[in-house]
Amino acid sequence: MEFGNRLKHVRGIVIVQIEGYFTERFINLCKINNVKIWDIRNIVNGMIRFKIDISEFKKLKPIAKKTKCSVKIKEKEGLYFTFHKYRKRKIFLILTLVLLIVSIIFSTFIWNIEITGNTYISKEELMSALKDSGVYIGKNKNFIDNKDVTNNMRVLIPDLAWIGFEMDGTKAIVKVVEKTKIAEKDIQESACGNIVADKSGIITKIIPENGTALLKTGSYAEEGNILIEGVIYSKLMEPEYVTAKGIVRINKEYYFSKEYYFENTIKNFSNKIRYSIGVTIDYKEYMINYLNKSLKYDISKKSKKISLFGKVISFDLYQFNEYSQSCITKSKEEILEEAKVDGKNYIENEILPNTNLGNIVDSVIETEEIENGLIVNIKYTINEQIGKFVERTN
């Protein structure tokens, strides 16, 4: 019974309110005439509400006439009323049907690839090997043989000890186990060699723990120079070849440069968003455009691409954020403050993460005037630890 009511709710139901002196007789006549009603509630004396299927509603008219009760529809629910509301919007219904069909088609393609278990084999290398094995974004998963994929991957990447491949909906899951490699640290512990500069800069500290320092504090180290030689010299004994160890720090210069303008046009978004759909065939876009040409929009697009009959087809969803433009004027001091913030963000997000224990020790700002603005150049001096172990070859 509960399932039947839910089915009726999807198809279309109405919540009916009856008023009169003979509401109980009204309910009894509904039962006698097999008019199915449910969720009967007594609101006040002489007023009752209940739910009824849309197909049964016409049967209430003769009953209401016999009992002299008034019948009012309070609410309408279900797909019947939704489609009836949009019956004149044929394009909307067609697009809904198209999107439903496209969604079903999309579910047969791979839209995401998840790789786990890799440490020293890069994700890019694995993705490239997967593509050569016939697994890539937009590939129809019905034409993929899991066994062939795993066999091809082992051939393409010899460092794989084991690989597992499976599909979860539209996501391809790749699990790998890499062959054990001797760590660089273990190689360094057992081999003779030197500490070599992997960056250029002025040496601020050089402390050899094992071996002989070839450069001094204050000297300039070029990339590739030997900093600490893996040799211990003695007047009484022959030179002893060892594993070079030590700490070397340098001051290295990095540069940030950007153009700034005194007058700038900014976008003021109104939070009014419109959507549209389209299709791109071989990079030629076809979009349903119903925008007001007198307004300005910031456009973003999300796409799903497939390859069909030798053509690249993309189904696109467009988002239009309405905005207006205004002009603001900045002073030289405001530009310099903005440049300092941008430069610091650049150093902290792009440079420092790629240094070894790096920190900013100095910064120098220079400006160059251009039309309606400035070029701001900032030189940062970063103190960082450098040096890589290179095994001795002779």
Side-chain angles (χ1 to χ4, degrees), residues 93-125:
L93 295 176
I94 292 171
L95 290 178
T96 302
L97 182 60
V98 170
L99 287 175
L100 180 61
I101 294 172
V102 169
S103 298
I104 295 171
I105 295 173
F106 277 176
S107 65
T108 63
F109 293 89
I110 296 175
W111 298 119
N112 187 26
I113 298 176
E114 180 182 296
I115 299 175
T116 59
N118 60 310
T119 304
Y120 63 84
I121 301 176
S122 68
K123 184 178 178 181
E124 290 73 19
E125 184 180 357

PDB file of all heavy atoms in Angstrom, residues 93-125:
ATOM      1  N   LEU A  93      11.742  20.728 -22.400  1.00  0.00           N
ATOM      2  CA  LEU A  93      11.492  19.291 -22.302  1.00  0.00           C
ATOM      3  C   LEU A  93      12.429  18.508 -23.213  1.00  0.00           C
ATOM      4  O   LEU A  93      12.933  17.447 -22.835  1.00  0.00           O
ATOM      5  CB  LEU A  93      10.027  19.001 -22.665  1.00  0.00           C
ATOM      6  CG  LEU A  93       8.964  19.571 -21.713  1.00  0.00           C
ATOM      7  CD1 LEU A  93       7.573  19.298 -22.249  1.00  0.00           C
ATOM      8  CD2 LEU A  93       9.113  18.964 -20.325  1.00  0.00           C
ATOM      9  N   ILE A  94      12.676  19.042 -24.401  1.00  0.00           N
ATOM     10  CA  ILE A  94      13.586  18.367 -25.332  1.00  0.00           C
ATOM     11  C   ILE A  94      14.995  18.323 -24.768  1.00  0.00           C
ATOM     12  O   ILE A  94      15.680  17.299 -24.814  1.00  0.00           O
ATOM     13  CB  ILE A  94      13.568  19.067 -26.703  1.00  0.00           C
ATOM     14  CG1 ILE A  94      12.198  18.868 -27.377  1.00  0.00           C
ATOM     15  CG2 ILE A  94      14.683  18.534 -27.598  1.00  0.00           C
ATOM     16  CD1 ILE A  94      12.003  19.695 -28.632  1.00  0.00           C
ATOM     17  N   LEU A  95      15.437  19.455 -24.195  1.00  0.00           N
ATOM     18  CA  LEU A  95      16.780  19.504 -23.610  1.00  0.00           C
ATOM     19  C   LEU A  95      16.901  18.549 -22.428  1.00  0.00           C
ATOM     20  O   LEU A  95      17.941  17.918 -22.228  1.00  0.00           O
ATOM     21  CB  LEU A  95      17.107  20.936 -23.181  1.00  0.00           C
ATOM     22  CG  LEU A  95      17.328  21.943 -24.305  1.00  0.00           C
ATOM     23  CD1 LEU A  95      17.603  23.322 -23.736  1.00  0.00           C
ATOM     24  CD2 LEU A  95      18.468  21.507 -25.208  1.00  0.00           C
ATOM     25  N   THR A  96      15.824  18.453 -21.630  1.00  0.00           N
ATOM     26  CA  THR A  96      15.840  17.518 -20.504  1.00  0.00           C
ATOM     27  C   THR A  96      16.007  16.088 -20.993  1.00  0.00           C
ATOM     28  O   THR A  96      16.788  15.303 -20.430  1.00  0.00           O
ATOM     29  CB  THR A  96      14.533  17.640 -19.699  1.00  0.00           C
ATOM     30  OG1 THR A  96      14.377  18.989 -19.251  1.00  0.00           O
ATOM     31  CG2 THR A  96      14.548  16.702 -18.503  1.00  0.00           C
ATOM     32  N   LEU A  97      15.288  15.748 -22.057  1.00  0.00           N
ATOM     33  CA  LEU A  97      15.395  14.411 -22.640  1.00  0.00           C
ATOM     34  C   LEU A  97      16.792  14.176 -23.210  1.00  0.00           C
ATOM     35  O   LEU A  97      17.379  13.101 -23.021  1.00  0.00           O
ATOM     36  CB  LEU A  97      14.337  14.243 -23.739  1.00  0.00           C
ATOM     37  CG  LEU A  97      14.284  12.874 -24.437  1.00  0.00           C
ATOM     38  CD1 LEU A  97      13.989  11.775 -23.423  1.00  0.00           C
ATOM     39  CD2 LEU A  97      13.250  12.869 -25.549  1.00  0.00           C
ATOM     40  N   VAL A  98      17.334  15.200 -23.888  1.00  0.00           N
ATOM     41  CA  VAL A  98      18.686  15.084 -24.449  1.00  0.00           C
ATOM     42  C   VAL A  98      19.722  14.875 -23.348  1.00  0.00           C
ATOM     43  O   VAL A  98      20.611  14.018 -23.457  1.00  0.00           O
ATOM     44  CB  VAL A  98      19.034  16.334 -25.287  1.00  0.00           C
ATOM     45  CG1 VAL A  98      20.518  16.344 -25.666  1.00  0.00           C
ATOM     46  CG2 VAL A  98      18.185  16.385 -26.540  1.00  0.00           C
ATOM     47  N   LEU A  99      19.585  15.654 -22.258  1.00  0.00           N
ATOM     48  CA  LEU A  99      20.521  15.512 -21.146  1.00  0.00           C
ATOM     49  C   LEU A  99      20.425  14.131 -20.511  1.00  0.00           C
ATOM     50  O   LEU A  99      21.441  13.561 -20.094  1.00  0.00           O
ATOM     51  CB  LEU A  99      20.236  16.591 -20.095  1.00  0.00           C
ATOM     52  CG  LEU A  99      20.655  18.015 -20.471  1.00  0.00           C
ATOM     53  CD1 LEU A  99      20.204  19.000 -19.405  1.00  0.00           C
ATOM     54  CD2 LEU A  99      22.153  18.112 -20.661  1.00  0.00           C
ATOM     55  N   LEU A 100      19.212  13.586 -20.432  1.00  0.00           N
ATOM     56  CA  LEU A 100      19.036  12.244 -19.876  1.00  0.00           C
ATOM     57  C   LEU A 100      19.744  11.207 -20.746  1.00  0.00           C
ATOM     58  O   LEU A 100      20.458  10.333 -20.239  1.00  0.00           O
ATOM     59  CB  LEU A 100      17.548  11.928 -19.773  1.00  0.00           C
ATOM     60  CG  LEU A 100      17.187  10.543 -19.205  1.00  0.00           C
ATOM     61  CD1 LEU A 100      17.705  10.399 -17.783  1.00  0.00           C
ATOM     62  CD2 LEU A 100      15.683  10.322 -19.248  1.00  0.00           C
ATOM     63  N   ILE A 101      19.579  11.342 -22.074  1.00  0.00           N
ATOM     64  CA  ILE A 101      20.223  10.401 -22.995  1.00  0.00           C
ATOM     65  C   ILE A 101      21.742  10.549 -22.928  1.00  0.00           C
ATOM     66  O   ILE A 101      22.484   9.566 -22.896  1.00  0.00           O
ATOM     67  CB  ILE A 101      19.714  10.638 -24.436  1.00  0.00           C
ATOM     68  CG1 ILE A 101      18.223  10.286 -24.526  1.00  0.00           C
ATOM     69  CG2 ILE A 101      20.505   9.802 -25.426  1.00  0.00           C
ATOM     70  CD1 ILE A 101      17.580  10.672 -25.840  1.00  0.00           C
ATOM     71  N   VAL A 102      22.210  11.815 -22.889  1.00  0.00           N
ATOM     72  CA  VAL A 102      23.652  12.066 -22.820  1.00  0.00           C
ATOM     73  C   VAL A 102      24.238  11.489 -21.534  1.00  0.00           C
ATOM     74  O   VAL A 102      25.335  10.918 -21.536  1.00  0.00           O
ATOM     75  CB  VAL A 102      23.934  13.577 -22.929  1.00  0.00           C
ATOM     76  CG1 VAL A 102      25.386  13.886 -22.585  1.00  0.00           C
ATOM     77  CG2 VAL A 102      23.613  14.077 -24.330  1.00  0.00           C
ATOM     78  N   SER A 103      23.506  11.625 -20.411  1.00  0.00           N
ATOM     79  CA  SER A 103      23.980  11.090 -19.131  1.00  0.00           C
ATOM     80  C   SER A 103      24.156   9.580 -19.199  1.00  0.00           C
ATOM     81  O   SER A 103      25.128   9.027 -18.666  1.00  0.00           O
ATOM     82  CB  SER A 103      22.997  11.449 -18.013  1.00  0.00           C
ATOM     83  OG  SER A 103      22.904  12.841 -17.853  1.00  0.00           O
ATOM     84  N   ILE A 104      23.204   8.907 -19.857  1.00  0.00           N
ATOM     85  CA  ILE A 104      23.303   7.455 -20.001  1.00  0.00           C
ATOM     86  C   ILE A 104      24.513   7.084 -20.858  1.00  0.00           C
ATOM     87  O   ILE A 104      25.258   6.154 -20.545  1.00  0.00           O
ATOM     88  CB  ILE A 104      22.002   6.889 -20.619  1.00  0.00           C
ATOM     89  CG1 ILE A 104      20.822   7.102 -19.649  1.00  0.00           C
ATOM     90  CG2 ILE A 104      22.156   5.410 -20.946  1.00  0.00           C
ATOM     91  CD1 ILE A 104      19.474   6.770 -20.242  1.00  0.00           C
ATOM     92  N   ILE A 105      24.707   7.855 -21.949  1.00  0.00           N
ATOM     93  CA  ILE A 105      25.861   7.587 -22.814  1.00  0.00           C
ATOM     94  C   ILE A 105      27.165   7.840 -22.069  1.00  0.00           C
ATOM     95  O   ILE A 105      28.115   7.054 -22.146  1.00  0.00           O
ATOM     96  CB  ILE A 105      25.785   8.464 -24.086  1.00  0.00           C
ATOM     97  CG1 ILE A 105      24.563   8.057 -24.930  1.00  0.00           C
ATOM     98  CG2 ILE A 105      27.063   8.341 -24.912  1.00  0.00           C
ATOM     99  CD1 ILE A 105      24.311   8.967 -26.116  1.00  0.00           C
ATOM    100  N   PHE A 106      27.207   8.959 -21.317  1.00  0.00           N
ATOM    101  CA  PHE A 106      28.431   9.299 -20.586  1.00  0.00           C
ATOM    102  C   PHE A 106      28.825   8.226 -19.579  1.00  0.00           C
ATOM    103  O   PHE A 106      29.999   8.041 -19.278  1.00  0.00           O
ATOM    104  CB  PHE A 106      28.245  10.630 -19.844  1.00  0.00           C
ATOM    105  CG  PHE A 106      28.476  11.832 -20.724  1.00  0.00           C
ATOM    106  CD1 PHE A 106      28.264  13.114 -20.233  1.00  0.00           C
ATOM    107  CD2 PHE A 106      28.899  11.684 -22.022  1.00  0.00           C
ATOM    108  CE1 PHE A 106      28.475  14.215 -21.047  1.00  0.00           C
ATOM    109  CE2 PHE A 106      29.108  12.775 -22.837  1.00  0.00           C
ATOM    110  CZ  PHE A 106      28.900  14.043 -22.348  1.00  0.00           C
ATOM    111  N   SER A 107      27.829   7.514 -19.026  1.00  0.00           N
ATOM    112  CA  SER A 107      28.125   6.515 -17.999  1.00  0.00           C
ATOM    113  C   SER A 107      28.916   5.328 -18.536  1.00  0.00           C
ATOM    114  O   SER A 107      29.415   4.509 -17.768  1.00  0.00           O
ATOM    115  CB  SER A 107      26.820   6.014 -17.368  1.00  0.00           C
ATOM    116  OG  SER A 107      26.026   5.318 -18.317  1.00  0.00           O
ATOM    117  N   THR A 108      29.046   5.233 -19.861  1.00  0.00           N
ATOM    118  CA  THR A 108      29.817   4.132 -20.442  1.00  0.00           C
ATOM    119  C   THR A 108      31.266   4.527 -20.715  1.00  0.00           C
ATOM    120  O   THR A 108      32.032   3.719 -21.229  1.00  0.00           O
ATOM    121  CB  THR A 108      29.169   3.667 -21.770  1.00  0.00           C
ATOM    122  OG1 THR A 108      29.215   4.743 -22.722  1.00  0.00           O
ATOM    123  CG2 THR A 108      27.725   3.240 -21.542  1.00  0.00           C
ATOM    124  N   PHE A 109      31.645   5.758 -20.376  1.00  0.00           N
ATOM    125  CA  PHE A 109      32.993   6.228 -20.634  1.00  0.00           C
ATOM    126  C   PHE A 109      33.755   6.443 -19.333  1.00  0.00           C
ATOM    127  O   PHE A 109      33.167   6.599 -18.261  1.00  0.00           O
ATOM    128  CB  PHE A 109      32.969   7.540 -21.434  1.00  0.00           C
ATOM    129  CG  PHE A 109      32.437   7.383 -22.833  1.00  0.00           C
ATOM    130  CD1 PHE A 109      31.076   7.507 -23.092  1.00  0.00           C
ATOM    131  CD2 PHE A 109      33.285   7.098 -23.887  1.00  0.00           C
ATOM    132  CE1 PHE A 109      30.580   7.365 -24.377  1.00  0.00           C
ATOM    133  CE2 PHE A 109      32.802   6.949 -25.177  1.00  0.00           C
ATOM    134  CZ  PHE A 109      31.446   7.079 -25.422  1.00  0.00           C
ATOM    135  N   ILE A 110      35.084   6.466 -19.431  1.00  0.00           N
ATOM    136  CA  ILE A 110      35.953   6.749 -18.280  1.00  0.00           C
ATOM    137  C   ILE A 110      36.106   8.260 -18.155  1.00  0.00           C
ATOM    138  O   ILE A 110      36.520   8.933 -19.101  1.00  0.00           O
ATOM    139  CB  ILE A 110      37.339   6.102 -18.475  1.00  0.00           C
ATOM    140  CG1 ILE A 110      37.215   4.582 -18.510  1.00  0.00           C
ATOM    141  CG2 ILE A 110      38.292   6.512 -17.349  1.00  0.00           C
ATOM    142  CD1 ILE A 110      38.525   3.876 -18.831  1.00  0.00           C
ATOM    143  N   TRP A 111      35.767   8.782 -16.962  1.00  0.00           N
ATOM    144  CA  TRP A 111      35.888  10.230 -16.729  1.00  0.00           C
ATOM    145  C   TRP A 111      36.884  10.555 -15.628  1.00  0.00           C
ATOM    146  O   TRP A 111      37.188  11.718 -15.385  1.00  0.00           O
ATOM    147  CB  TRP A 111      34.528  10.835 -16.387  1.00  0.00           C
ATOM    148  CG  TRP A 111      33.530  10.679 -17.486  1.00  0.00           C
ATOM    149  CD1 TRP A 111      32.345  10.024 -17.441  1.00  0.00           C
ATOM    150  CD2 TRP A 111      33.634  11.183 -18.823  1.00  0.00           C
ATOM    151  NE1 TRP A 111      31.702  10.083 -18.655  1.00  0.00           N
ATOM    152  CE2 TRP A 111      32.480  10.791 -19.526  1.00  0.00           C
ATOM    153  CE3 TRP A 111      34.606  11.919 -19.505  1.00  0.00           C
ATOM    154  CZ2 TRP A 111      32.262  11.105 -20.859  1.00  0.00           C
ATOM    155  CZ3 TRP A 111      34.378  12.238 -20.840  1.00  0.00           C
ATOM    156  CH2 TRP A 111      33.219  11.839 -21.495  1.00  0.00           C
ATOM    157  N   ASN A 112      37.399   9.526 -14.958  1.00  0.00           N
ATOM    158  CA  ASN A 112      38.372   9.778 -13.888  1.00  0.00           C
ATOM    159  C   ASN A 112      39.277   8.566 -13.752  1.00  0.00           C
ATOM    160  O   ASN A 112      38.819   7.427 -13.896  1.00  0.00           O
ATOM    161  CB  ASN A 112      37.656  10.056 -12.564  1.00  0.00           C
ATOM    162  CG  ASN A 112      38.620  10.480 -11.472  1.00  0.00           C
ATOM    163  OD1 ASN A 112      39.693  11.018 -11.754  1.00  0.00           O
ATOM    164  ND2 ASN A 112      38.275  10.227 -10.232  1.00  0.00           N
ATOM    165  N   ILE A 113      40.555   8.801 -13.497  1.00  0.00           N
ATOM    166  CA  ILE A 113      41.527   7.720 -13.276  1.00  0.00           C
ATOM    167  C   ILE A 113      42.205   7.960 -11.937  1.00  0.00           C
ATOM    168  O   ILE A 113      42.784   9.022 -11.706  1.00  0.00           O
ATOM    169  CB  ILE A 113      42.572   7.664 -14.411  1.00  0.00           C
ATOM    170  CG1 ILE A 113      41.887   7.374 -15.762  1.00  0.00           C
ATOM    171  CG2 ILE A 113      43.621   6.598 -14.120  1.00  0.00           C
ATOM    172  CD1 ILE A 113      42.840   7.398 -16.940  1.00  0.00           C
ATOM    173  N   GLU A 114      42.115   6.980 -11.057  1.00  0.00           N
ATOM    174  CA  GLU A 114      42.716   7.072  -9.720  1.00  0.00           C
ATOM    175  C   GLU A 114      43.884   6.098  -9.625  1.00  0.00           C
ATOM    176  O   GLU A 114      43.735   4.900  -9.887  1.00  0.00           O
ATOM    177  CB  GLU A 114      41.665   6.745  -8.660  1.00  0.00           C
ATOM    178  CG  GLU A 114      42.184   6.808  -7.232  1.00  0.00           C
ATOM    179  CD  GLU A 114      41.119   6.423  -6.227  1.00  0.00           C
ATOM    180  OE1 GLU A 114      40.107   7.139  -6.126  1.00  0.00           O
ATOM    181  OE2 GLU A 114      41.290   5.380  -5.546  1.00  0.00           O
ATOM    182  N   ILE A 115      45.061   6.612  -9.251  1.00  0.00           N
ATOM    183  CA  ILE A 115      46.273   5.792  -9.139  1.00  0.00           C
ATOM    184  C   ILE A 115      46.751   5.816  -7.690  1.00  0.00           C
ATOM    185  O   ILE A 115      46.904   6.888  -7.104  1.00  0.00           O
ATOM    186  CB  ILE A 115      47.379   6.308 -10.082  1.00  0.00           C
ATOM    187  CG1 ILE A 115      46.913   6.229 -11.540  1.00  0.00           C
ATOM    188  CG2 ILE A 115      48.661   5.514  -9.900  1.00  0.00           C
ATOM    189  CD1 ILE A 115      47.887   6.827 -12.530  1.00  0.00           C
ATOM    190  N   THR A 116      46.993   4.654  -7.119  1.00  0.00           N
ATOM    191  CA  THR A 116      47.488   4.559  -5.740  1.00  0.00           C
ATOM    192  C   THR A 116      48.657   3.579  -5.678  1.00  0.00           C
ATOM    193  O   THR A 116      48.771   2.685  -6.510  1.00  0.00           O
ATOM    194  CB  THR A 116      46.380   4.079  -4.783  1.00  0.00           C
ATOM    195  OG1 THR A 116      45.900   2.785  -5.211  1.00  0.00           O
ATOM    196  CG2 THR A 116      45.209   5.045  -4.759  1.00  0.00           C
ATOM    197  N   GLY A 117      49.513   3.787  -4.673  1.00  0.00           N
ATOM    198  CA  GLY A 117      50.608   2.849  -4.419  1.00  0.00           C
ATOM    199  C   GLY A 117      51.941   3.256  -5.000  1.00  0.00           C
ATOM    200  O   GLY A 117      52.959   2.641  -4.689  1.00  0.00           O
ATOM    201  N   ASN A 118      51.966   4.277  -5.866  1.00  0.00           N
ATOM    202  CA  ASN A 118      53.233   4.681  -6.485  1.00  0.00           C
ATOM    203  C   ASN A 118      54.003   5.624  -5.576  1.00  0.00           C
ATOM    204  O   ASN A 118      53.432   6.477  -4.902  1.00  0.00           O
ATOM    205  CB  ASN A 118      52.986   5.346  -7.839  1.00  0.00           C
ATOM    206  CG  ASN A 118      52.123   6.585  -7.739  1.00  0.00           C
ATOM    207  OD1 ASN A 118      51.055   6.544  -7.125  1.00  0.00           O
ATOM    208  ND2 ASN A 118      52.565   7.678  -8.329  1.00  0.00           N
ATOM    209  N   THR A 119      55.334   5.433  -5.547  1.00  0.00           N
ATOM    210  CA  THR A 119      56.214   6.279  -4.740  1.00  0.00           C
ATOM    211  C   THR A 119      57.234   6.985  -5.619  1.00  0.00           C
ATOM    212  O   THR A 119      57.261   8.206  -5.717  1.00  0.00           O
ATOM    213  CB  THR A 119      56.931   5.465  -3.650  1.00  0.00           C
ATOM    214  OG1 THR A 119      55.961   4.803  -2.841  1.00  0.00           O
ATOM    215  CG2 THR A 119      57.791   6.356  -2.767  1.00  0.00           C
ATOM    216  N   TYR A 120      58.081   6.182  -6.290  1.00  0.00           N
ATOM    217  CA  TYR A 120      59.103   6.815  -7.131  1.00  0.00           C
ATOM    218  C   TYR A 120      58.727   6.816  -8.610  1.00  0.00           C
ATOM    219  O   TYR A 120      59.335   7.526  -9.401  1.00  0.00           O
ATOM    220  CB  TYR A 120      60.472   6.146  -6.908  1.00  0.00           C
ATOM    221  CG  TYR A 120      60.544   4.683  -7.288  1.00  0.00           C
ATOM    222  CD1 TYR A 120      60.777   4.284  -8.599  1.00  0.00           C
ATOM    223  CD2 TYR A 120      60.414   3.688  -6.313  1.00  0.00           C
ATOM    224  CE1 TYR A 120      60.853   2.948  -8.944  1.00  0.00           C
ATOM    225  CE2 TYR A 120      60.493   2.347  -6.646  1.00  0.00           C
ATOM    226  CZ  TYR A 120      60.724   1.980  -7.959  1.00  0.00           C
ATOM    227  OH  TYR A 120      60.807   0.649  -8.295  1.00  0.00           O
ATOM    228  N   ILE A 121      57.738   6.021  -8.996  1.00  0.00           N
ATOM    229  CA  ILE A 121      57.235   6.096 -10.373  1.00  0.00           C
ATOM    230  C   ILE A 121      56.204   7.224 -10.423  1.00  0.00           C
ATOM    231  O   ILE A 121      55.218   7.202  -9.683  1.00  0.00           O
ATOM    232  CB  ILE A 121      56.591   4.767 -10.814  1.00  0.00           C
ATOM    233  CG1 ILE A 121      57.601   3.626 -10.734  1.00  0.00           C
ATOM    234  CG2 ILE A 121      56.056   4.885 -12.237  1.00  0.00           C
ATOM    235  CD1 ILE A 121      57.020   2.267 -11.054  1.00  0.00           C
ATOM    236  N   SER A 122      56.437   8.209 -11.271  1.00  0.00           N
ATOM    237  CA  SER A 122      55.566   9.389 -11.296  1.00  0.00           C
ATOM    238  C   SER A 122      54.195   9.058 -11.864  1.00  0.00           C
ATOM    239  O   SER A 122      54.036   8.107 -12.648  1.00  0.00           O
ATOM    240  CB  SER A 122      56.205  10.507 -12.127  1.00  0.00           C
ATOM    241  OG  SER A 122      56.250  10.142 -13.496  1.00  0.00           O
ATOM    242  N   LYS A 123      53.207   9.855 -11.453  1.00  0.00           N
ATOM    243  CA  LYS A 123      51.847   9.679 -11.960  1.00  0.00           C
ATOM    244  C   LYS A 123      51.797   9.928 -13.462  1.00  0.00           C
ATOM    245  O   LYS A 123      51.050   9.248 -14.191  1.00  0.00           O
ATOM    246  CB  LYS A 123      50.893  10.642 -11.237  1.00  0.00           C
ATOM    247  CG  LYS A 123      49.439  10.478 -11.632  1.00  0.00           C
ATOM    248  CD  LYS A 123      48.536  11.416 -10.853  1.00  0.00           C
ATOM    249  CE  LYS A 123      47.081  11.258 -11.296  1.00  0.00           C
ATOM    250  NZ  LYS A 123      46.176  12.192 -10.559  1.00  0.00           N
ATOM    251  N   GLU A 124      52.601  10.889 -13.944  1.00  0.00           N
ATOM    252  CA  GLU A 124      52.627  11.201 -15.368  1.00  0.00           C
ATOM    253  C   GLU A 124      53.106  10.005 -16.181  1.00  0.00           C
ATOM    254  O   GLU A 124      52.563   9.702 -17.252  1.00  0.00           O
ATOM    255  CB  GLU A 124      53.527  12.415 -15.638  1.00  0.00           C
ATOM    256  CG  GLU A 124      52.990  13.744 -15.128  1.00  0.00           C
ATOM    257  CD  GLU A 124      53.065  13.879 -13.619  1.00  0.00           C
ATOM    258  OE1 GLU A 124      53.847  13.120 -13.000  1.00  0.00           O
ATOM    259  OE2 GLU A 124      52.342  14.735 -13.061  1.00  0.00           O
ATOM    260  N   GLU A 125      54.129   9.295 -15.663  1.00  0.00           N
ATOM    261  CA  GLU A 125      54.648   8.115 -16.360  1.00  0.00           C
ATOM    262  C   GLU A 125      53.604   7.010 -16.405  1.00  0.00           C
ATOM    263  O   GLU A 125      53.422   6.344 -17.434  1.00  0.00           O
ATOM    264  CB  GLU A 125      55.919   7.618 -15.662  1.00  0.00           C
ATOM    265  CG  GLU A 125      56.583   6.447 -16.366  1.00  0.00           C
ATOM    266  CD  GLU A 125      57.846   5.974 -15.661  1.00  0.00           C
ATOM    267  OE1 GLU A 125      58.238   6.605 -14.654  1.00  0.00           O
ATOM    268  OE2 GLU A 125      58.424   4.964 -16.117  1.00  0.00           O
TER     269      GLU A 125
END
